[in-house]
Amino acid sequence: FLFLLPVLGVGFAFAYVPISVLTAVFVKWLIVGQYKPGRHKVWGMMFLRHWLVEKLASGIPWGLVQGNVFQNIFLRMLGARIGKNVHIHKGVKFRGAWDLLEIGDNVTVGRDVSLRMIDYQNQEMVLGPIKIGNNCTLETRSGMSLYSRMEDNSYLTPLTLVPSHTTVPANEKWNGVPGAFLEQTPPPKA
């Protein structure tokens, strides 16, 4: 039994990952459906449904899939639109509302980036989209708030925060809190 214990542990991990993902996806589509931008009262029905889905999604062993292709697959199953050649590093924080996230092709999302499609203001849960264009880079611990957007070939330096209702124009590098123009980015390599 002691010799089989490591094998059983690996087998359990391989079984638990798809079961936890499928459970979270099923419950999300059953009780929430598709997240839409808007405002909902804290402790209202939408808040409680979101809370339940977020708790189930936190049961997914993200540590096993972060930084590899499975994370993108699982996020797509939860409703996110993620393009080709997207690398999402470990520690990236998604606070639910995956349907409101759109990431283009050839994007790099660095370690501990925060993508906030949900915010809490004046006792309301506010849901808003985040759009990241093609060939964009978000460096370590940068972040985007709801209703923010990065156009093609834009770049966020480490620790930069893009506030709500802000667009980072194409071919620009931004820096600071709140983020502001730093310099032009070179065109993407073929």
Side-chain angles (χ1 to χ4, degrees):
F1 179 75
L2 289 176
F3 291 115
L4 288 177
L5 198 56
V7 174
L8 292 174
V10 170
F12 175 77
F14 278 113
Y16 177 73
V17 171
I19 289 170
S20 64
V21 170
L22 292 175
T23 302
V25 169
F26 176 75
V27 171
K28 183 250 181 200
W29 288 107
L30 180 69
I31 67 172
V32 172
Q34 186 172 7
Y35 284 96
K36 293 180 174 45
R39 294 178 168 272
H40 305 278
K41 291 285 184 193
V42 171
W43 300 112
M45 284 306 296
M46 181 61 180
F47 175 85
L48 294 174
R49 289 183 290 171
H50 165 72
W51 177 81
L52 179 61
V53 169
E54 195 173 48
K55 290 299 172 192
L56 283 171
S58 69
I60 297 171
W62 291 107
L64 294 175
V65 297
Q66 285 183 336
N68 63 47
V69 69
F70 294 112
Q71 181 178 20
N72 292 355
I73 293 169
F74 296 163
L75 290 171
R76 285 183 189 115
M77 290 172 70
L78 288 165
R81 291 178 302 283
I82 299 175
K84 294 182 248 171
N85 301 322
V86 173
H87 176 70
I88 300 174
H89 207 289
K90 291 184 176 192
V92 175
K93 295 168 191 71
F94 303 97
R95 292 181 60 191
W98 304 276
D99 300 296
L100 301 175
L101 177 63
E102 184 177 342
I103 300 176
D105 297 334
N106 306 313
V107 173
T108 300
V109 181
R111 189 173 188 93
D112 298 328
V113 166
S114 182
L115 300 172
R116 299 176 196 90
M117 287 81 69
I118 297 178
D119 197 7
Y120 295 94
Q121 304 168 355
N122 300 325
Q123 297 183 1
E124 289 183 320
M125 178 177 73
V126 183
L127 305 174
I130 290 178
K131 184 172 194 265
I132 302 170
N134 298 322
N135 303 309
C136 293
T137 300
L138 290 83
E139 285 281 349
T140 303
R141 293 192 178 148
S142 58
M144 296 182 70
S145 301
L146 44 103
Y147 294 103
S148 63
R149 178 183 175 149
M150 291 178 71
E151 293 182 347
D152 292 349
N153 198 39
S154 53
Y155 190 101
L156 297 182
T157 62
L159 302 173
T160 299
L161 175 64
V162 178
S164 296
H165 301 283
T166 303
T167 298
V168 178
N171 304 313
E172 287 191 7
K173 181 185 281 190
W174 278 31
N175 183 37
V177 177
F181 175 77
L182 178 65
E183 62 188 14
Q184 291 293 121
T185 57
K189 295 180 181 177

